[in-house]
Amino acid sequence: MPSSDPHSLHPLDNLLGYHLRRASVAMMADFGKRLQAIKLRPTEATILLLIETNPGCIQSDIGRILGIQRANMVPMIAALEKAGLIARSAMDGRSHALHLTEQGEETLQAAKTIIDAHENYFQSMFSADENKALLTSIHRISKPGD
Amino acid sequence: MPSSDPHSLHPLDNLLGYHLRRASVAMMADFGKRLQAIKLRPTEATILLLIETNPGCIQSDIGRILGIQRANMVPMIAALEKAGLIARSAMDGRSHALHLTEQGEETLQAAKTIIDAHENYFQSMFSADENKALLTSIHRISKPGD
DNA sequence: TATTGTTATACTCTATAACTATA
DNA sequence: TATAGTTATAGAGTATAACAATA
């Protein structure tokens, strides 16, 4: 096998997909660990952020934004309601508007502090320019339509 | 709430961790879909690459490199052996050297063609300079020690 | 006819604890 | 004492199919 074979020497080294996965796992692990302090999981914190920005949205909206199946949204929303962080009020006969409770807003503020610390921890690995370039590039990969 | 709140307008837009996750999921989905043609899963293709580059390695080595628990390596290696893609030969009484079979080498070559197409599909979103910067940045996040 | 919420289910991936045999 | 392989098990996350109620 020729030594110029791009897979030979370090077969994973130039693979964007592999390192994207490892980086994502590393950040998710750090985020999850930090969120344990307020008994939230990463997806739950993300849902609280979305409800704050889109009060009155329905759980199917959130599922579409986050790429989560409707069926899998059910236990997540139920858990947040049971924990007293969100409230549901009937819109039509089939959908319920979602809002943060007072406790949900308080928890979200704590989550935001954690998110900032977590993001700063990783983003401080890079210069401002590197950071902007990195976010722009990753956006391009993750955006569905673009 | 002040409009300068970085979480308000598009609460996920500036979150590196969120977009890293979405990008990783997008690439993994594409990779997995392409690999179905040769009945491999992403992790299995990665293991074949590592065995080719490190013939005679043991499954615990692979687990350490990929961040997979020893217990979870067992069914993966067993499946690759059952599929006739790898062979095990006793080293000591407790560990087995791993090698690709002929069929395993053939399958790996097909996997490499798929990997190249998959990587090119995503890396063609960027210029050569952008690509290098992106890989360098992601390496920095995913590398354990650095 | 399409959408919302729901249940049930299954499959993958991951994490932990314990055991054995070997070094 | 530490390591390699293994088993069993439990917890997430994710995917599909089906159904009732509603739009």
Side-chain angles (χ1 to χ4, degrees), chain B residues 64-132:
Chain B
R64 274 185 288 271
I65 292 172
L66 298 181
I68 299 173
Q69 305 285 334
R70 298 157 297 289
N72 296 329
M73 288 298 299
V74 175
M76 291 183 190
I77 294 296
L80 289 172
E81 190 181 30
K82 187 177 179 183
L85 302 179
I86 67 173
R88 305 201 269 188
S89 55
M91 289 188 66
D92 354 284
R94 63 182 177 183
S95 48
H96 298 78
L98 302 178
H99 297 275
L100 298 181
T101 62
E102 260 187 50
Q103 189 189 344
E105 298 204 25
E106 288 167 15
T107 298
L108 178 57
Q109 297 317 310
K112 283 183 181 180
T113 301
I114 289 172
I115 290 169
D116 284 342
H118 159 72
E119 285 280 325
N120 284 338
Y121 176 76
F122 284 96
Q123 292 194 23
S124 68
M125 294 175 178
F126 309 104
S127 71
D129 280 356
E130 284 175 325
N131 235 307
K132 191 175 175 186

Side-chain angles (χ1 to χ4, degrees), chain A:
Chain A
M1 172 166 311
S3 65
S4 63
D5 184 327
H7 295 295
S8 285
L9 295 179
H10 303 283
L12 311 176
D13 237 31
N14 293 316
L15 298 185
L16 178 59
Y18 174 71
H19 287 287
L20 212 48
R21 173 104 214 282
R22 295 303 297 259
S24 171
V25 168
M27 282 199 73
M28 286 290 290
D30 177 84
F31 190 33
K33 202 172 169 186
R34 290 175 190 261
L35 280 177
Q36 284 179 353
I38 58 171
K39 299 190 194 305
L40 279 187
R41 283 176 288 187
T43 305
E44 294 175 329
T46 308
I47 290 174
L48 294 186
L49 279 176
L50 286 175
I51 294 177
E52 183 195 39
T53 308
N54 306 282
C57 68
I58 65 176
Q59 69 191 56
S60 288
D61 294 332
I62 295 175
R64 274 186 288 271
I65 292 173
L66 298 182
I68 300 172
Q69 306 284 336
R70 298 159 296 289
N72 296 330
M73 286 298 300
V74 175
M76 290 182 190
I77 294 296
L80 289 172
E81 189 181 31
K82 187 177 179 183
L85 303 179
I86 67 173
R88 304 201 268 188
S89 54
M91 288 187 68
D92 350 285
R94 65 182 175 184
S95 49
H96 299 77
L98 302 178
H99 295 275
L100 297 181
T101 62
E102 260 187 49
Q103 189 190 344
E105 297 205 26
E106 287 168 16
T107 299
L108 177 56
Q109 296 318 309
K112 284 182 180 180
T113 301
I114 288 172
I115 290 170
D116 284 342
H118 160 71
E119 285 280 325
N120 284 338
Y121 176 76
F122 284 95
Q123 292 195 22
S124 68
M125 295 174 175
F126 308 105
S127 71
D129 281 354
E130 285 174 325
N131 237 305
K132 191 176 174 183
L134 176 57
L135 262 173
T136 301
S137 292
I138 294 176
H139 262 81
R140 208 176 306 171
I141 296 173
S142 64
K143 277 274 176 93
D146 295 8

